[in-house]
Amino acid sequence: MMEMTSAFTLNVRLDNIAVVTIDVPGEKMNTLKAEFASQVRAILKQIRDNKALRGVVFISAKPDNFIAGADINMIGSCRSAQEAETLARQGQQIMAEIHALPIPVIAAIHGACLGGGLEMALACHNRICTDDAKTVLGLPEVQLGLLPGSGGTQRLPRLIGVSTALDMILTGKQLRAKQALKVGLVDEVVPLSILLEAAVELAKKESSSHRSLPVRERVLAGPLGRALLFRMASKKTAQKTQGNYPATERILEVIETGLAQGSSSGYDAEARAFGELAMTPQSQALRHIFFANTNVKKDPGSDAKPGPLNSVGILGGGLMGGGIAYVTACKGGLPVRIKDITAKGINHALKYSWDQLETKVRRRHIKASERDKQLALISGSTDYRGFAHRDLVIEAVFEDLALKQQMVAEVEQNCAPHTIFASNTSSLPISDIAAKAARPEQVIGLHFFSPVEKMPLVEVIPHATTSEQTIATTVKLAKKQGKTPIVVRDKAGFYVNRILAPYINEAIRLLTEGERVEAIDAALVKFGFPVGPIQLLDEVGIDTGTKIIPVLEAAYGERFSAPANVVASILNDDRKGRKNGRGFYLYGAKGRKSKKQVDPAIYTLIGAQGQARLTATQIAERCVMLMLNEAARCFDEKVVRSARDGDIGAVFGIGFPPFLGGPFRYMDSLGAGEVVAVLQRLSTQYGSRFTPCEQLLLMAERGERFWNSRETDLNS
């Protein structure tokens, strides 16, 4: 059997500093795998045996990452908590051996240093990193429903203090070089060109002077301060997680154990908690979403080769147009030309990008020169000057069919024969927009969600005659913009809005039955959504959010009907939501203190006064079950290409609870039979809109799952 190329190579320099290079063969990222343990052990033995060595430097050979984390597949292959615990203990053991070397050990970090990678750097005696934008340090395990299992929960608080460490481990946030230096996570920040030399110099310093923790952190480390800190942290965390994420409670517990009872009890508690968390359904669902997302990001959307993508045009400088211009230029690095009928529109869009970038300069994420460079990619005009060779034009004008058809005709006249026309519409069929086009194969839907710079999802919507190349090019653009694209069918509401509409409709119906606004929103936040349905409607804009309902009603009948006249009476009262300061909630003047409150006048408008009759569970069930039933229909009608796309679309498009893994994974975990039974019970209680769809009835009968029918489970 051939010896696999080791991921770790040891070179001893003439000045007796050992340089260990990390380079996992054949992979873009360095990730830690269980089989590396023996390789690392062999290297550590060589280091211990060579008495002439003065120090050790760990450095990566990859151009943009140190170690991006541990390989998650290792956890997936564990069959019991015991196996996962053993995995953590192995990791802890290796880190302890690195830490125990008798000579200075330095981690020289450039690029991502996350999870197991940061745990390894923490086991070294000192850390140095580059001042590059690619350099980030963090422990993101909580996002996968886990905690750092190779000593991170014990080493980090001791290095940077307990409150800063809690913040990092509970949120999974990543620090940039300057922040890492400030909190004491790294000892030096240097340019990439001298990283190795600076690390070698650091290794030659006999004793490393450890910086003392700031006073605040020292107080918090004492027993009184600690008790207070953990009490506050656990309250704040419970508020955020609503008890849906078991990992956060365990993190608090394990860190506290280590501080109260000493590190060996801490390491023991860490490994045990890691093993147990790995088996929780929440962690399994979060890992499932992680793999599905990685999988979507690799999916080209089509077998055809994408066309050129050198420059982009945008029609319309409103909120959407401005947001799309920003992500295209500043994330995608592509030159953008905005056309609007007025100079005001163009200025609005340019200001949008300026504000986004200016915030980054203020926070010192980028230099002013970098801001100017990015801004220079965006230009505007009130005619089609500069559009002649655009490879793709995104239309973000008003939702009016005749206007959009006119835009297609103008682009066909003023752009190149190969130019793709992508419409950011949320309610109009793409086939209608392409109906009069000379080149319908180059017309496609590209539906962004608001606010564009924050929402990760886009729907790519080919109509019947869109070419494969057009699909491939549009998907490629979406990825350049930093988005997760899913390809969906050209049917009313596409996918995201279609499963969202019945959910919001039901929330409004609950209002008319006398439930209170805040009770409805709280019930769905408790279920796991980031915001409740009524607040969501306020955020998107009641006018925009309800525009889609008649379209869906016309296409699919009365299950999409909103409760009679409620929406109309709210809109007639000049309520658009947050954008005009009044919706279901009232928004006070901007300031830290002003909290939004439910407007009591709402109950008069809808003619019902809140007499809460239902429990939070009953409220959530009604809204969510309608969403699940609609998602199953979308699967059946091939609106989404797979359960994977359906789960990603719902989690990233509307914040469906990630710990449930998306609507399809959630239905699989309940079982189709159970979903059908709940829907039947609700349809008896509340009416025919809850009638389970054909797809679910068939699946219940045959005992099928979404994730096995028509596709294989990802990596698990």
Side-chain angles (χ1 to χ4, degrees):
M1 185 184 134
M2 262 184 66
E3 183 58 36
M4 67 174 254
T5 326
S6 176
F8 296 83
T9 328
L10 174 74
N11 280 314
V12 177
R13 298 172 31 124
L14 293 174
D15 55 8
N16 278 329
I17 299 287
V19 177
V20 178
T21 308
I22 315 163
D23 192 357
V24 178
E27 306 227 356
K28 202 167 130 325
M29 296 292 208
N30 281 332
T31 55
L32 296 174
K33 303 180 194 321
E35 57 265 31
F36 294 164
S38 55
Q39 301 178 9
V40 176
R41 285 215 162 93
I43 279 186
L44 295 177
K45 185 174 177 329
Q46 279 177 278
I47 293 173
R48 283 196 297 271
D49 291 349
N50 181 347
K51 297 296 178 237
L53 287 182
R54 298 170 55 191
V56 185
V57 172
F58 280 95
I59 194 164
S60 158
K62 304 285 186 207
D64 54 7
N65 58 93
F66 176 71
I67 301 174
D71 182 358
I72 306 167
N73 286 312
M74 289 192 301
I75 306 161
S77 54
C78 295
R79 289 288 154 257
S80 65
Q82 196 49 55
E83 279 182 39
E85 181 178 331
T86 308
L87 206 61
R89 290 196 192 276
Q90 271 175 329
Q92 290 178 347
Q93 192 51 48
I94 294 273
M95 304 306 175
E97 286 183 39
I98 294 176
H99 192 76
L101 288 173
I103 49 178
V105 183
I106 314 294
I109 303 164
H110 169 65
C113 169
L114 301 169
L118 181 57
E119 291 182 288
M120 184 170 154
L122 287 168
C124 299
H125 303 144
N126 290 89
R127 286 145 298 284
I128 181 166
C129 74
T130 64
D131 57 4
D132 194 287
K134 290 191 187 105
T135 301
V136 285
L137 295 91
L139 294 170
E141 286 84 350
V142 68
Q143 295 163 1
L144 298 173
L146 299 164
L147 54 70
S150 301
T153 64
Q154 304 305 303
R155 284 205 168 89
L156 190 65
R158 287 176 173 76
L159 178 68
I160 65 173
V162 62
S163 73
T164 320
L166 274 179
D167 186 36
M168 275 182 75
I169 300 175
L170 284 171
T171 60
K173 69 157 113 165
Q174 301 176 8
L175 303 186
R176 288 179 313 284
K178 285 218 179 82
Q179 293 167 299
L181 181 66
K182 197 170 158 193
V183 301
L185 184 53
V186 299
D187 304 278
E188 267 182 67
V189 175
V190 296
L192 175 59
S193 52
I194 61 164
L195 176 62
L196 181 59
E197 285 312 313
V200 166
E201 283 314 306
L202 198 55
K204 287 178 183 168
K205 289 188 183 143
E206 287 302 318
S207 70
S208 61
S209 60
H210 272 290
R211 45 170 272 174
S212 60
L213 285 176
V215 173
R216 178 175 103 108
E217 288 288 1
R218 284 208 298 274
V219 170
L220 291 172
L224 275 174
R226 199 169 62 229
L228 181 70
L229 176 73
F230 276 90
R231 219 172 28 251
M232 279 172 49
S234 101
K235 208 166 122 186
K236 196 166 136 194
T237 306
Q239 225 173 349
K240 269 204 176 124
T241 62
Q242 297 284 326
N244 289 320
Y245 294 88
T248 52
E249 286 154 53
R250 296 300 299 268
I251 289 169
L252 285 161
E253 208 175 288
V254 164
I255 296 179
E256 192 157 24
T257 300
L259 293 172
Q261 299 168 29
S263 24
S264 73
S265 304
Y267 285 119
D268 198 47
E270 176 185 87
R272 252 198 336 273
F274 182 86
E276 286 167 24
L277 286 170
M279 294 298 133
T280 58
Q282 292 89 338
S283 175
Q284 286 166 353
L286 289 162
R287 290 188 326 257
H288 154 96
I289 280 288
F290 175 81
F291 283 124
N293 191 27
T294 318
N295 215 281
V296 167
K297 283 198 168 125
K298 287 182 186 152
D299 186 344
S302 161
D303 298 335
K305 208 172 123 354
L309 255 186
N310 301 316
S311 68
V312 171
I314 291 175
L315 306 178
L319 197 61
M320 292 307 278
I324 299 167
Y326 170 72
V327 295
T328 311
C330 306
K331 296 236 168 64
L334 291 170
V336 176
R337 189 70 180 256
I338 303 166
K339 177 188 178 298
D340 197 281
I341 36 184
T342 63
K344 194 171 154 206
I346 295 164
N347 287 337
H348 175 270
L350 286 168
K351 184 171 174 328
Y352 183 89
S353 287
W354 167 268
D355 291 341
Q356 296 289 332
L357 292 165
E358 191 48 35
T359 310
K360 286 191 170 173
V361 172
R362 239 192 4 263
R363 293 187 181 152
R364 302 213 174 129
H365 294 189
I366 59 170
K367 295 192 170 74
S369 57
E370 184 56 33
R371 168 202 65 202
D372 298 345
K373 204 159 92 202
Q374 290 191 10
L375 214 55
L377 287 169
I378 310 176
S379 59
S381 85
T382 51
D383 53 22
Y384 282 96
R385 261 182 301 195
F387 271 75
H389 298 293
R390 301 277 151 179
D391 300 306
L392 189 146
V393 173
I394 302 171
E395 166 277 305
V397 300
F398 193 67
E399 286 282 90
D400 172 283
L401 182 59
L403 177 65
K404 291 189 187 262
Q405 288 178 336
Q406 181 196 334
M407 294 293 116
V408 173
E410 287 182 10
V411 163
E412 290 185 328
Q413 282 154 16
N414 291 287
C415 299
H418 75 276
T419 303
I420 292 171
F421 182 96
S423 174
N424 171 52
T425 175
S426 51
S427 59
L428 298 168
I430 309 300
S431 55
D432 291 359
I433 295 173
K436 298 177 180 168
R439 294 188 284 272
E441 66 282 1
Q442 283 160 224
V443 176
I444 193 164
L446 183 60
H447 178 211
F448 292 84
F449 294 85
S450 173
V452 176
E453 80 288 354
K454 283 206 181 70
M455 297 296 285
L457 191 79
V458 294
E459 291 178 304
V460 173
I461 312 129
H463 63 99
T465 58
T466 304
S467 72
E468 288 295 323
Q469 186 180 37
T470 298
I471 300 175
T473 315
T474 311
V475 164
K476 184 177 168 186
L477 170 72
K479 288 180 189 164
K480 269 191 167 313
Q481 294 166 326
K483 301 294 173 202
T484 301
I486 57 167
V487 179
V488 300
R489 262 185 84 181
D490 184 22
K491 291 190 74 167
F494 312 133
Y495 169 65
V496 172
N497 281 340
R498 179 164 164 194
I499 65 171
L500 186 61
Y503 164 88
I504 290 193
N505 268 346
E506 196 61 21
I508 296 179
R509 196 169 274 108
L510 282 158
L511 270 184
T512 60
E513 291 171 21
E515 296 300 326
R516 303 191 66 81
V517 172
E518 60 276 35
I520 299 171
D521 278 349
L524 283 134
V525 166
K526 186 150 185 43
F527 182 80
F529 281 89
V531 295
I534 297 180
Q535 189 186 337
L536 183 69
L537 200 48
D538 260 6
E539 296 290 340
V540 209
I542 302 170
D543 50 344
T544 323
T546 51
K547 197 176 274 140
I548 188 101
I549 297 212
V551 177
L552 288 162
E553 216 177 339
Y556 307 112
E558 68 165 27
R559 68 170 193 271
F560 277 95
S561 327
N565 300 333
V566 172
V567 173
S569 56
I570 289 170
L571 285 172
N572 290 339
D573 194 40
D574 188 33
R575 292 174 182 269
K576 293 192 176 122
R578 186 184 280 280
K579 54 183 168 194
N580 74 342
R582 48 199 297 238
F584 294 91
Y585 291 90
L586 282 177
Y587 299 85
K590 283 231 185 329
R592 276 214 29 206
K593 296 265 187 306
S594 70
K595 269 195 63 92
K596 60 173 190 338
Q597 279 157 342
V598 175
D599 185 350
I602 257 309
Y603 298 112
T604 325
L605 271 177
I606 53 181
Q609 187 54 49
Q611 324 94 6
R613 285 195 205 92
L614 298 179
T615 64
T617 314
Q618 289 170 310
I619 291 176
E621 181 180 67
R622 279 174 57 177
C623 297
V624 171
M625 288 317 287
L626 281 176
M627 182 181 277
L628 296 180
N629 202 14
E630 207 54 49
R633 282 198 179 89
C634 289
F635 183 85
D636 179 38
E637 296 167 23
K638 299 195 177 50
V639 169
V640 282
R641 289 182 168 183
S642 58
R644 177 200 75 183
D645 287 4
D647 280 348
I648 288 291
V651 170
F652 290 112
I654 45 190
F656 187 92
F659 63 89
L660 297 173
F664 294 104
R665 178 161 175 129
Y666 180 48
M667 287 191 275
D668 282 350
S669 67
L670 294 171
E674 173 62 15
V675 177
V676 164
V678 175
L679 283 165
Q680 279 169 334
R681 166 168 64 76
L682 291 170
S683 70
T684 320
Q685 277 177 288
Y686 299 107
S688 64
R689 61 184 184 283
F690 285 100
T691 308
C693 66
E694 275 308 299
Q695 174 77 22
L696 280 169
L697 292 169
L698 272 175
M699 286 174 72
E701 202 178 302
R702 298 177 188 156
E704 286 179 350
R705 298 160 50 107
F706 288 101
W707 267 87
N708 298 341
S709 55
R710 308 189 206 170
E711 64 190 287
T712 51
D713 225 333
L714 299 169
N715 301 54
S716 58

